[in-house]
Every structure is written in structure tokens, then in C-alpha cells.
């Protein structure tokens, strides 16, 4: 398959390209598009055979459900059994934006889109290109991140090309994304909203709107083989670079010492090493390929750079990645959540 790559200026959208994308989506084929979080791989959410193509292109396990993207609030009602009051409040405050809500689904949403669940994940992205594309398609768009399953999510159209060239019909290149990590997912089917995946919209931002909010315990640690997480995707390997990735946690002076020592050991043995640090510590590392994820003073820069750095190390084919931990404030939970998964929960306390 020939993948068409089209550059789109989000401030001056070429609607003839949007029409072309809409036409492709209505035909049941796939279009990758930018959002404010990461690039999505879109297909008609109401067409089971179209969503099946997403699983195939990504190599994604079929019980890992997709998020349905809409561009207008009136698209929600035909998809869900009810819209709880707390969901309405959250939508009013955060849509369009990086918040995905889980609803009880109507039969209009095929099982193939929700991995067989009787619930459906829905969000309205805050990106002009994404909204114009969904408008042009005239159908809700199922879209997981546009990466090969397991790899770091794509934050540029080039990342999407690396994983999806020849597998999908079209990529809309709207430039680098803003936030850089996936949306917050909140289950609003119960009395107390429950965070299933942390993201830019954090617990206290949610609590300011709807009062008490719970966090699914699967977010906090690795899933064991026998558990049944609420968000099926939680049990799969995610966001992972090809190299063996370990983080070092503790007093920063100890962390620097431990990483330098380990990097030297590996290099002496003939391995290549990538180091993930911050602007504040960059000058302190003596060995390997040192990449700063940004200043610790700006959490959005950190989330923006995270997947790019993991993919850069993949491109350079380093054998080992050694990293600092990033237990920062607002976004910290979300950043550490992605880093822990990328590292397969390998953390050394020093
Ligand atoms: P991705 O778009 O690749 O970031 O993946 C979408 C994620 O959304 C899945 O891995 C699930 O964790 C979550 N998700 C989607 N639909 C549901 C649902 N109905 N219930 C719970 N979690 C969901
Ligand atoms: Mg994903």
C-alpha cells in the first residue's frame, strides 16, 4: 500500500485534503492524524472491519480497546447508554482536551472497537487538524496511538512513517504534538470517577470539578499474570524502547554516581549506552550518549520530549538506557507511569 503523507498547516487548513481524508475513512481505510497528546491512527469507529485493520497495522492484541474520537458533543449521545452528571461536568470543563471518558456503550458501537467490552472510551481532541478531519469523515473515529504496539507513542509524523509506512492510506502531518503523552482516562460509569491512566489532566484538576476521584491501583505497579485490569491495555508492555532500560532513584548525587559507574562498566564491556537526564544534571555525566529530557522546572517540556528520546535511542540502537526518575509535581504521576512501563518497572534505588 502506498501511504500518502500530507503536510497540514493547522492555522490555515486545506479543506480539500480533509475531504480526501474523510473519503478514505468512510471507505473503511486508515488515516493517521495529529492530536494535542500523540499521533492517532484513525478508522471509522462504527465499522468493525475498519477497526480490525487498526489492530492489524499496530500488531495490537484484540482485547485492547480503542478510544473513539468525536468533534462535536452531539456525536456522543448515539454512542452511549447514558451521560452521567459528573461526565457532563468534566466534558464542559475539559473538552476538547486530553481527557478520555469511559461510558456504557450502545449497540451502535461494534464489539470490535471496544475489544469486546460493554463500555466505550470517548474523547474530543484539542487539535484543529484532528477536529477538521473528524468533521470531514462525518463518523466517529476510533484511534489508538499510531505506533507499532509496544513501542513509544509517536509525537511527530516521521515517527508515524517509521512504524506505519506502507500499512495505512494516509498520514496528516500537523507538526510536533504539544503534550507528548497520552490522554488521561477516567471511568465515569460508577459513582466515583476512577482514573485508569494518568495524563496531563491530573487528579486535583478533576477533583476541582467533580469532588472525590479514585485512582485504579493498576496504575501504581506492574500487573501480575492473573489480574484483570479495568483497562485491558494496562496489562500489556507499553511505550518501550528496544534497549534494556533501567531507572535510578534516590538522592540525585547518588543517582549521578550510580549511572556514571554503570555506564562505564557497560562501555568497558563493549556495549553502547544512552543516558536520560535533565538540563540540571547534563554536565555531570561522563560516558555514553547523554540526552536531556528538559529542565525539571517545566513538566510539559519533559512529557513533550519523553517518547522522542526513547525513539532516538532506538534509532541509535543503544544496548542499554540508564535514566534518572522524574517524580515531579502535577504531571509527575503521568510521566513516571510512562517511564516505569517503558523500563518494564526496572528501578534501582541508590
Ligand atoms: P491508546 O489509544 O493506544 O493509548 O490505547 C487506548 C487505551 O484506552 C487502551 O489501552 C485502554 O487502556 C483504554 N481504553 C479504551 N477503551 C476502554 C474501555 N472501554 N474501558 C477501559 N479502558 C479503555
Ligand atoms: Mg498506545
Amino acid at each position: 500500500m502506498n501511504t500518502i503523507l500530507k503536510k497540514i498547516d493547522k492555522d490555515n487548513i486545506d479543506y480539500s485534503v480533509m475531504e480526501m481524508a474523510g473519503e478514505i475513512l468512510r471507505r473503511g481505510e486508515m488515516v493517521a492524524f495529529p492530536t494535542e497528546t500523540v499521533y492517532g491512527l484513525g478508522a471509522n469507529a462504527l465499522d468493525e472491519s475498519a477497526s480490525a485493520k487498526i489492530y492489524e497495522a499496530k500488531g495490537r492484541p484484540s482485547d485492547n480497546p480503542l478510544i473513539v474520537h468525536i468533534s462535536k458533543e452531539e456525536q456522543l449521545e448515539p454512542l452511549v447508554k447514558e451521560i452521567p452528571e459528573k461526565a457532563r461536568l468534566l466534558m464542559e470543563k475539559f473538552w476538547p482536551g486530553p481527557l478520555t471518558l469511559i461510558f456504557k456503550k450502545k449497540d451502535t458501537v461494534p464489539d470490535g472497537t471496544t475489544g469486546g467490552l460493554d463500555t466505550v472510551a470517548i474523547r474530543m481532541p484539542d487539535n484543529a487538524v484532528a477536529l477538521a478531519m473528524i468533521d470531514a469523515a462525518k463518523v466517529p473515529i476510533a484511534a489508538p496511538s499510531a505506533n507499532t504496539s509496544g513501542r513509544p507513542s509517536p509525537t511527530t509524523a516521521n515517527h508515524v512513517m517509521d512504524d506505519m509506512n506502507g500499512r495505512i492510506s494516509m498520514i496528516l502531518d500537523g507538526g510536533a504534538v504539544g503534550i507528548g503523552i497520552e490522554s488521561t482516562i477516567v471511568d465515569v460509569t460508577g459513582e466515583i470517577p476512577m482514573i485508569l491512566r494518568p495524563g496531563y489532566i491530573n487528579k486535583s484538576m478533576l477533583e476541582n470539578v467533580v469532588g472525590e476521584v479514585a485512582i485504579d491501583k493498576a496504575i501504581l505497579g506492574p500487573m501480575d499474570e492473573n489480574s484483570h485490569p479495568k483497562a485491558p491495555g494496562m496489562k500489556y508492555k507499553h511505550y518501550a524502547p528496544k534497549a534494556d532500560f533501567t531507572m535510578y532513584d534516590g538522592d540525585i548525587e547518588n543517582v549521578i554516581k550510580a549511572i556514571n559507574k554503570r555506564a562505564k562498566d557497560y562501555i568497558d564491556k563493549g556495549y553502547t549506552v544512552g543516558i536520560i537526564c535533565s538540563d540540571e544534571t547534563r554536565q555531570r555525566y561522563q560516558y555514553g550518549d547523554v540526552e536531556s529530557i528538559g529542565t525539571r522546572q517545566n513538566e510539559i517540556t519533559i512529557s513533550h520530549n519523553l517518547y522522542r528520546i526513547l525513539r532516538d535511542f532506538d534509532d541509535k540502537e543503544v544496548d542499554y538506557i540508564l535514566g534518572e526518575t522524574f517524580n515531579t509535581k502535577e504531571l509527575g504521576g503521568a510521566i513516571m507511569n510512562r517511564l516505569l512501563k517503558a523500563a518494564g518497572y526496572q528501578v534501582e534505588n541508590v
Side-chain angles (χ1 to χ4, degrees):
M1 182 186 299
N2 181 30
T3 301
I4 306 165
L5 177 63
K6 287 276 183 192
K7 262 205 176 2
I8 305 288
D9 177 357
K10 68 177 182 343
D11 299 318
N12 185 15
I13 291 177
D14 181 342
Y15 286 94
S16 66
V17 177
M18 293 300 128
E19 276 313 312
M20 198 172 153
E23 165 67 24
I24 290 170
L25 289 162
R26 278 194 301 279
R27 275 209 305 266
E29 296 174 19
M30 291 173 284
V31 177
F33 61 99
T35 77
E36 79 280 39
T37 58
V38 300
Y39 271 76
L41 177 55
N44 181 354
L46 304 182
D47 175 350
E48 199 151 31
S49 67
S51 35
K53 289 180 189 165
I54 293 179
Y55 288 93
E56 197 189 324
K58 280 179 66 84
R60 182 178 176 109
S62 63
D63 67 346
N64 190 355
L66 308 175
I67 294 173
V68 176
H69 292 64
I70 58 175
S71 56
K72 295 192 175 64
E73 232 165 271
E74 67 238 35
Q75 287 178 296
L76 180 61
E77 207 257 351
L79 306 175
V80 304
K81 278 200 173 136
E82 53 181 352
I83 306 175
E85 185 52 26
K86 287 178 184 170
R88 278 191 198 283
L89 294 170
L90 291 171
M91 286 154 52
E92 209 169 284
K93 175 77 181 171
F94 297 114
W95 279 10
L99 176 68
T100 296
L101 298 174
I102 308 287
F103 299 91
K104 292 186 178 129
K105 82 171 187 74
K106 276 188 183 149
D107 291 341
T108 39
V109 184
D111 285 343
T113 298
T114 63
L117 296 177
D118 56 5
T119 53
V120 58
I122 303 187
R123 91 175 186 103
M124 189 188 291
D126 185 14
N127 177 290
V129 177
L131 294 172
M133 184 201 77
I134 300 166
D135 276 347
K138 300 188 180 76
V139 288
I141 298 298
S145 48
N147 53 292
T148 301
S149 194
R151 290 204 71 200
S153 299
T155 56
T156 66
N158 274 342
H159 294 163
V160 181
M161 268 307 246
D162 286 345
D163 285 13
M164 294 296 155
N165 190 15
R167 294 170 172 261
I168 65 178
S169 300
M170 189 180 206
I171 299 172
L172 299 175
D173 179 356
V177 300
I179 296 173
I181 57 172
E182 302 81 357
S183 59
T184 308
I185 300 181
V186 177
D187 184 343
V188 287
T189 60
E191 183 52 34
I192 297 169
M194 164 97 76
I195 300 176
L196 303 184
R197 178 172 75 186
Y200 174 79
I201 311 262
N202 66 26
K203 186 164 182 275
S204 65
M205 289 158 81
L206 296 164
E207 285 184 332
N208 284 339
V209 179
V210 290
E212 186 184 357
V213 170
I215 298 190
D216 193 290
K217 66 176 189 315
I219 288 175
L220 308 170
M223 299 299 305
D224 67 56
E225 289 293 303
N226 305 317
S227 50
H228 296 282
K230 262 199 128 173
M234 287 171 169
K235 69 176 184 248
Y236 293 112
K237 192 172 169 192
H238 256 90
Y239 323 123
K242 291 171 190 154
D244 181 290
F245 177 21
T246 304
M247 281 187 289
Y248 290 77
D249 194 45
D251 177 81
I252 190 66
E253 290 303 321
N254 294 343
V255 168
I256 293 167
K257 223 182 286 170
I259 291 180
N260 273 325
K261 180 172 183 304
R262 183 57 57 88
K264 182 171 187 313
D265 284 353
Y266 282 141
I267 289 166
D268 285 348
K269 289 185 182 136
Y271 294 113
T272 51
V273 174
I275 290 175
I276 300 178
C277 64
S278 61
D279 287 358
E280 287 78 7
T281 54
R282 176 171 202 133
Q283 301 306 326
R284 308 282 311 279
Y285 292 100
Q286 286 121 25
Y287 309 99
D289 189 336
V290 184
E291 283 231 40
S292 170
I293 199 168
T295 168
R296 285 183 182 271
Q297 303 307 314
N298 187 337
E299 297 184 17
I300 283 291
T301 318
I302 295 175
S303 72
H304 182 83
N305 288 332
L306 192 152
Y307 290 134
R308 179 187 56 75
I309 287 183
L310 295 177
R311 278 184 176 258
D312 282 354
F313 283 140
D314 274 357
D315 290 345
K316 293 174 187 164
E317 298 183 343
V318 300
D319 299 309
Y320 290 94
I321 300 173
L322 311 174
E324 297 175 5
T325 53
F326 288 83
N327 279 309
T328 40
K329 292 173 287 294
E330 290 92 42
L331 265 177
I335 291 168
M336 264 312 273
N337 168 265
R338 303 309 193 279
L339 280 168
L340 281 167
K341 289 190 172 209
Y345 296 93
Q346 296 190 108
V347 182
E348 278 194 26
N349 293 299
V350 292

